[in-house]
Structure formats: structure tokens, C-alpha cells
Amino acid sequence: MKVIDQNKSHLKSENSLLSVDNIRKDFPILDRMINGHKLVYLDNAATTQKPQTVIDAITSYYAGFNANVHRGLHTLAEEATSAMEKTRDKTAAFIGGVKREEIVFTRNATESINLVVSSWGKKNIKQGDRIVITQMEHHANLVPWIMLAKETGAELEYIPIDQNGYLNLSNINNIITPKTKIVALTHMSNVLGTINPVAEIISLAHKNNALVLIDGAQSVPHMPVDVKTLDADFYVFSAHKMLGPTGVGVLYAREEILNEMEPVIFGGEMINEVRFDFADWAELPMKFEAGTPNIADLVAFAPALDYLNKIGMDKIRQHEIEITTYGLEELRKLDFIKIFGPDNVLDRGGVISFVDDKIHSHDLSQYLDSKGVAVRAGHHCAQPLVKLLGVTSTSRASFYIYNTNDEVDQLVEALKAARRYFVNG
Amino acid sequence: MAEQLDEMYRDIIMEHYRFPRGHDKILNPDITKEGRNPACGDEIEIRVKMDKDKIETVSVDCAGCAISTASGSMLAEICEGKTIAEVKKIAGIVKALLKGEKFDKSYDIGDIEALQGVNKFPVRVKCALLSWTTLVDAIDAKQTGRQLTASTTEG
Ligand SMILES: Cc1ncc(COP(=O)(O)O)c(C=O)c1O
């Protein structure tokens, strides 16, 4: 709690760590009016807004060097290939300096997980093997494993969560056993905000010769991540949740593992030699990237990474600790609001899920929208988890680098007004 | 937008939402059916007590939003004492009204007309339809002896 107290002095003022005012100028959408109010965008866990540099990069690509990649020998083709591959280098550097061959581009985190399941999973998971996931997974890291277990006859075991929204590890040695072939879990929950002790779980899994897939969709955008130090075998995330364009996902996997995996999509770009009766796969990572990729968005992901690097992931994490501390403090003052997830802000990311004890989350988010405040309502693609919380849906406010304590105040004011509208009206 | 919001949350809707009819579960129903809105995870349970080919009472158990609660309350209110054919006709009117399509204006649908404001909010149409879809499915299933699986608002 020490950190929180230290920060208290400037909770009300503009955050001291980031120059949020300047950051906001880089995001044209933040000037938008929504229903007569200035947009308060608090749905960053779903997708973040984009800085001008990212928006411009898409135009520059189409206006200046549009061409197919890895094929032509002309100038445009070389420029396009080089820009796209630069993004790969930057991505590799961003998650702790892995090899560029270890970065496979997909459409999104969901596709990255599906690639692992379809290729590595179908080859390595057999009847009687165990797949371990957790009760707090997004459907993206849940449904593919359910399907794989069904298809192979493997058992699917869940690490449970406790009352406070943490993983309950008390029985972990009976869950991750020598039968376990893969453990797949989220680094940070998109509903509870919980940051999981992934290093500890990876180490335990490795002792049992199991591999580990980490769903980093909510962690990579919000805190420093070094997949080598974590010793993750697979690590996935989406560009659109970290200032980048939609349509770009990342699969990191250790080179030895990728070498052993077969492609699941076949065609151009991914072959070395093709005869009429034979094909030989291209080198990594191309063998997993059949067909023309999403070049424009891949090119435009680079300035998103540059933007985050310029600020620094440590500072971004600090900013989110501050604003989440403030958000939790202010929301706790509302006795009709129940908040889910860990109490200690250091154990959670910038995500606050809550319910009003009288107003359904649909009505609430509709009302907040009429005040310009954008939050997410529903089950957040984690139906089993939300059910465990004893509700059918929650509202969720999630923060990023451009959010301010003022915006938290506007959320709180709108919540009070909703109360007057629906309950005491 | 504030006006549009008020257009959806009209007084009649808010009144049904705060004091829903048919909220107490029927204890010995002839038909019981669950419905689910996959978009938000809301679940309801409809119970029907028949009196020959007429509906004696309907209960709608739901922990849904204001729109689905109010719509369910209106359903319970209007369906009481109606024949199956009448109920289906009303359900058809509700659907048309919510989707902004033409419907038989000569038929008296009482409070239900207030649901019209919902059609400006396409995602909320499903909330308003859930109880109606579930009831019609339940009646159809009963009539044809089909297996009762949970209804959804898809389609
Ligand atoms: C924890 C988590 N995993 C996976 C995903 C899926 O991301 P995408 O839809 O970009 O594939 C999300 C996004 O909602 C998420 O929050």
C-alpha cells in the first residue's frame, strides 16, 4: 500500500508521470463530441484509440509505397517489404529482444492461439494428456482448448479463482502434473484486471515438462513484458489494443518449437520449393504466413510501438497504477457500486469491472453513453468467469495513456446521475 | 441524445421496469422455458399456465435490463386470458414495431406501443424481444411436442 500513499499527493492533479495533455493532442478522436459531450473513452481493454502517426502511416503506405511483399524486385516492393519487416524487428525488440524468426504475424491474438492449437496442439496432444487453463480466460483462450480436448480426448483442467479475483494456487501441484502437456493462461484478466504470477506458473509447468502459452492481449499494451525472462513458450497479443491498427496479431514462440510445428494454411509466401507433387516449407516465420499479409496495418503498427517506446512501458504502468488507484477510491465511495477483482492496485491492471446493485449494465452503459462516457457492458467474452462472479454481466471501465483523473470524475458523476434516472427518478 | 434516451426509457417503460407484472413464478406451470440473450448473457425463465387453449397466466423471471424487464412485464399483462393465436399475433406486432416494420395498427396493444422508442437502439431490440421469442417458442414446442431447449434472440 506504500506506493499508493506516496502517490496520493498528486491524485487529483494531472498525472505527473506522463504529460497526458500532450499525449491527448496526438489522438484526434479524443476531440470528438458524443451526444453533446466530449468523449470520455474508457473502453481501452476492448481496443485503444490510435495516434496520428499510426493513422498517417496507413495513408503513407497506400499513397507512397503500396506493393506486394516478398515477391517483386522493384523499388516499391522492396520498400513495402522492408517497412513490414521493420515492424517485425520492432515487435521482437518490444517483448524483450527475441529473434525476428520467432515473431509470426496473424490477424489477432485469437488467431495466434488458434494457430498454436491447430498446429502444435493437434500434433502433440493425445488422449489422456492434460491441458490446463484457468477460470478467468477470455473465450479466445478457452474455446480453442475446449475443442482440442474434445477432439483428442485430452482432459481439460482449470486453475480456479478465489473470492478476491486471484488464481487460487493452493492445489496447483495436483493440477499441473506430469500428465500436463500445455498450460495456457492470461497474463492479465480483461475482466478482473488481475495480473497473474505467470513466471511462477511457467516454472512449475516446465518442471513437469509442459509448455506454456501466455495470453498477453491485456499485458503487453500496459506493462513491460520480457518473454525471455518469463521463459514463456508461446506468447500472443493484438496490435489494436496497443495503439496499433486492427488486423494485426502476434504469435511469439521459441524457435525450436516453431521449427517443429507444421503450417495450417498453405499457399503462396510460405513455400521454399514447389513441384507438382511436392512442397517444402519456407524458413521461419514465413511458413506460417501464407498469402498476402495485411501489409498496410503491419506497416502502421511500427509507429504504435515507437510511440509506446518513447513514453516507456514503466511509465505507462505507473500512470495506470495512479489512475486505477484513483478510480478504485472514487468508485468505492459509491455504496451502490460493487467492484470486482483484487483490492491491491499493484496486483491489477487498469481495468475496473463493476455492477450497480439496481441498474443492469446495459442500461448503465447506455446512460453513460448519453453523457459521452464509453464503457463496455456485458460478459466481456468471459461468460464462465462472469457467471462465477454471480452476475450475468458487468460494466467495465479500462484506462490507457490518455485518460485522466478528470475523466474518472466524469464517470463517477454519470454513475450518480444514472442512479437518479433509473432508481430515484 | 438525452431526448433519444428518454424516448427509449419512456415513463410507461420505467413504470413496468420498477413494478414488473408477472414477476412471481407460477408454481404449477404447464410450460416452462428458458431464454437467453447471447449478446449480453441475460437469462429469463417463462412459465405458462394454460386454461384449455387460452393462457391463464404467464410469469417472467428475469434479472435483465430495464428494457427486457419492461417488455416481459407487458407480455405478462397482455397475454393473460388470450388465445394462443392472439398471443402469436401480438408477438408478431411487437417484432414489427421493434424492427420499425409495418404492423396492424387497428389491434390494441396497450402499453406495448411504448416499446417503439427502442428501435432507435438496434442492440437493445434483442433485449425487448427476448421474452416474446421465448414465449412463442415455448408455445410452439408444446404444440408440436418438440424438445425444449433454451431460446435465443438470434434471427
Ligand atoms: C485477455 C484477452 N485475450 C484475448 C483477447 C482477444 O483479442 P482479439 O479479439 O484481438 O483476438 C482479448 C480481447 O478482447 C483479451 O482481452
Side-chain angles (χ1 to χ4, degrees):
Chain A
M1 293 310 271
K2 225 182 223 145
V3 174
I4 302 168
D5 289 334
Q6 278 168 5
N7 286 339
K8 232 172 197 161
S9 56
H10 46 247
L11 276 181
K12 259 287 178 188
S13 63
E14 267 315 314
N15 297 68
S16 57
L17 283 156
L18 301 189
S19 39
V20 176
D21 278 348
N22 284 332
I23 287 174
R24 290 182 71 86
K25 288 185 194 128
D26 295 330
F27 291 78
I29 207 169
L30 297 179
D31 288 330
R32 240 203 93 164
M33 301 298 284
I34 301 287
N35 302 316
H37 300 266
K38 195 153 179 184
L39 168 66
V40 174
Y41 186 75
L42 300 178
D43 194 16
N44 293 288
T47 198
T48 64
Q49 298 303 343
K50 320 303 174 199
Q52 192 66 51
T53 49
V54 169
I55 299 167
D56 288 346
I58 294 172
T59 315
S60 304
Y61 164 73
Y62 283 123
F65 54 101
N66 172 51
N68 212 326
V69 288
H70 301 300
R71 303 185 184 180
L73 287 175
H74 53 81
T75 304
L76 296 184
E78 271 176 24
E79 286 177 8
T81 306
S82 136
M84 174 181 145
E85 290 305 320
K86 204 174 274 167
T87 300
R88 199 186 306 275
D89 290 329
K90 287 184 176 178
T91 308
F94 193 78
I95 54 171
V98 301
K99 294 181 201 153
R100 66 187 327 281
E101 292 77 18
E102 296 176 319
I103 298 293
V104 177
F105 287 128
T106 60
R107 281 190 310 140
N108 46 44
T110 303
E111 190 173 286
S112 300
I113 296 169
N114 275 272
L115 171 56
V116 173
V117 169
S118 306
S119 171
W120 183 89
K122 286 186 184 167
K123 186 169 169 190
N124 291 286
I125 301 290
K126 307 257 160 10
Q127 182 158 19
D129 288 346
R130 179 177 280 194
I131 300 165
V132 173
I133 63 176
T134 82
Q135 285 183 334
M136 62 166 86
E137 297 311 310
H138 186 280
H139 293 168
N141 197 30
L142 172 60
V143 182
W145 300 112
I146 293 176
M147 299 313 290
L148 182 66
K150 211 176 226 174
E151 209 175 300
T152 57
E155 27 172 275
L156 186 58
E157 198 62 48
Y158 290 82
I159 303 174
I161 58 164
D162 68 18
Q163 298 281 315
N164 302 314
Y166 291 95
L167 289 179
N168 178 346
L169 299 179
S170 60
N171 194 28
I172 193 72
N173 287 313
N174 293 320
I175 296 175
I176 299 177
T177 63
K179 270 207 309 196
T180 306
K181 288 286 173 337
I182 180 99
V183 179
L185 78 156
T186 190
H187 200 156
M188 180 184 132
S189 163
N190 64 313
V191 177
L192 301 163
T194 318
I195 298 170
N196 288 320
V198 290
E200 190 185 323
I201 291 172
I202 290 171
S203 148
L204 178 64
H206 285 171
K207 278 191 196 121
N208 287 279
N209 290 320
L211 297 190
V212 181
L213 178 146
I214 303 292
D215 175 355
Q218 296 295 344
S219 47
V220 173
H222 301 282
M223 59 198 209
V225 169
D226 181 334
V227 298
K228 281 284 169 219
T229 307
L230 289 175
D231 203 16
D233 302 295
F234 303 101
Y235 201 103
V236 308
F237 53 101
S238 284
H240 70 92
K241 293 184 196 281
M242 49 194 295
L243 308 182
T246 52
V248 174
V250 178
L251 164 64
Y252 156 80
R254 284 194 288 113
E255 194 174 11
E256 312 89 86
I257 302 174
L258 286 177
N259 275 328
E260 291 298 308
M261 279 165 57
E262 292 292 320
V264 292
I265 298 179
F266 306 92
E269 306 263 22
M270 52 79 66
I271 35 76
N272 178 23
E273 184 196 356
V274 182
R275 287 180 243 137
F276 281 119
D277 60 353
F278 168 88
D280 180 24
W281 313 141
E283 296 292 295
L284 287 178
M286 302 305 295
K287 79 171 179 185
F288 296 107
E289 294 179 7
T292 301
N294 182 358
I295 307 166
D297 292 316
L298 281 162
V299 169
F301 184 32
L305 293 167
D306 292 342
Y307 199 98
L308 295 174
N309 281 329
K310 203 174 84 196
I311 300 173
M313 293 310 293
D314 276 315
K315 276 195 171 177
I316 291 174
R317 173 71 185 133
Q318 276 307 316
H319 168 73
E320 290 186 18
I321 289 175
E322 278 198 30
I323 192 165
T324 308
T325 302
Y326 184 67
L328 288 171
E329 246 175 39
E330 292 303 303
L331 287 173
R332 279 181 191 133
K333 288 181 191 159
L334 306 178
D335 58 3
F336 49 87
I337 294 289
K338 176 174 159 64
I339 300 169
F340 299 98
D343 285 335
N344 187 342
V345 75
L346 298 179
D347 297 334
R348 65 191 289 160
V351 166
I352 306 181
S353 280
F354 57 89
V355 290
D356 181 297
D357 63 10
K358 290 259 166 59
I359 309 172
H360 191 279
S361 70
H362 266 181
D363 297 317
L364 196 55
S365 69
Q366 191 100 57
Y367 186 84
L368 296 181
D369 181 66
S370 78
K371 301 284 181 197
V373 180
V375 300
R376 172 89 188 263
H379 50 61
H380 316 291
C381 296
Q383 274 182 2
L385 169 62
V386 170
K387 219 171 205 163
L388 265 187
L389 301 177
V391 292
T392 54
S393 65
T394 76
S395 297
R396 179 186 70 189
S398 51
F399 309 117
Y400 211 27
I401 51 177
Y402 34 69
N403 290 122
T404 63
N405 290 348
D406 271 353
E407 290 181 307
V408 172
D409 291 342
Q410 288 173 63
L411 167 69
V412 168
E413 282 315 306
L415 288 173
K416 288 183 192 161
R419 216 40 204 186
R420 294 191 288 274
Y421 191 89
F422 286 103
V423 184
N424 311 319
Chain B
M1 179 70 185
E3 301 87 70
Q4 244 193 33
L5 198 72
D6 292 339
E7 185 60 17
M8 176 161 68
Y9 295 115
R10 292 180 194 182
D11 289 345
I12 297 178
I13 289 184
M14 295 304 271
E15 199 268 337
H16 275 276
Y17 160 56
R18 294 198 179 104
F19 309 102
R21 329 294 192 260
H23 197 61
D24 295 329
K25 276 191 200 182
I26 295 170
L27 291 178
N28 52 345
D30 297 305
I31 316 174
T32 303
K33 182 116 174 50
E34 284 169 11
R36 194 174 302 130
N37 183 349
C40 64
D42 277 356
E43 289 170 8
I44 64 167
E45 188 191 273
I46 286 205
R47 294 181 174 203
V48 186
K49 180 90 193 133
M50 301 294 295
D51 176 14
K52 296 192 198 91
D53 71 331
K54 280 197 176 152
I55 286 177
E56 191 180 302
T57 44
V58 183
S59 69
V60 184
D61 183 26
C62 92
C65 60
I67 301 301
S68 71
T69 305
S71 184
S73 166
M74 291 171 183
L75 175 149
E77 188 172 69
I78 202 166
C79 288
E80 208 161 290
K82 295 270 193 309
T83 64
I84 284 172
E86 284 172 310
V87 165
K88 284 191 176 173
K89 176 161 174 109
I90 299 167
I93 292 175
V94 172
K95 198 164 180 176
L97 175 112
L98 287 168
K99 299 201 161 169
E101 294 159 4
K102 283 207 177 86
F103 59 91
D104 179 1
K105 294 227 162 87
S106 63
Y107 199 92
D108 180 15
I109 50 171
D111 290 355
I112 289 173
E113 228 198 304
L115 286 173
Q116 204 145 20
V118 178
N119 74 29
K120 299 214 175 54
F121 299 86
V123 282
R124 305 301 299 276
V125 168
K126 285 182 175 183
C127 309
L129 270 181
L130 181 58
S131 53
W132 295 93
T133 320
T134 307
L135 177 64
V136 170
D137 280 357
I139 294 171
D140 282 348
K142 183 77 179 174
Q143 283 180 327
T144 58
R146 234 184 339 111
Q147 185 96 48
L148 290 179
T149 52
S151 301
T152 72
T153 49
E154 296 298 289

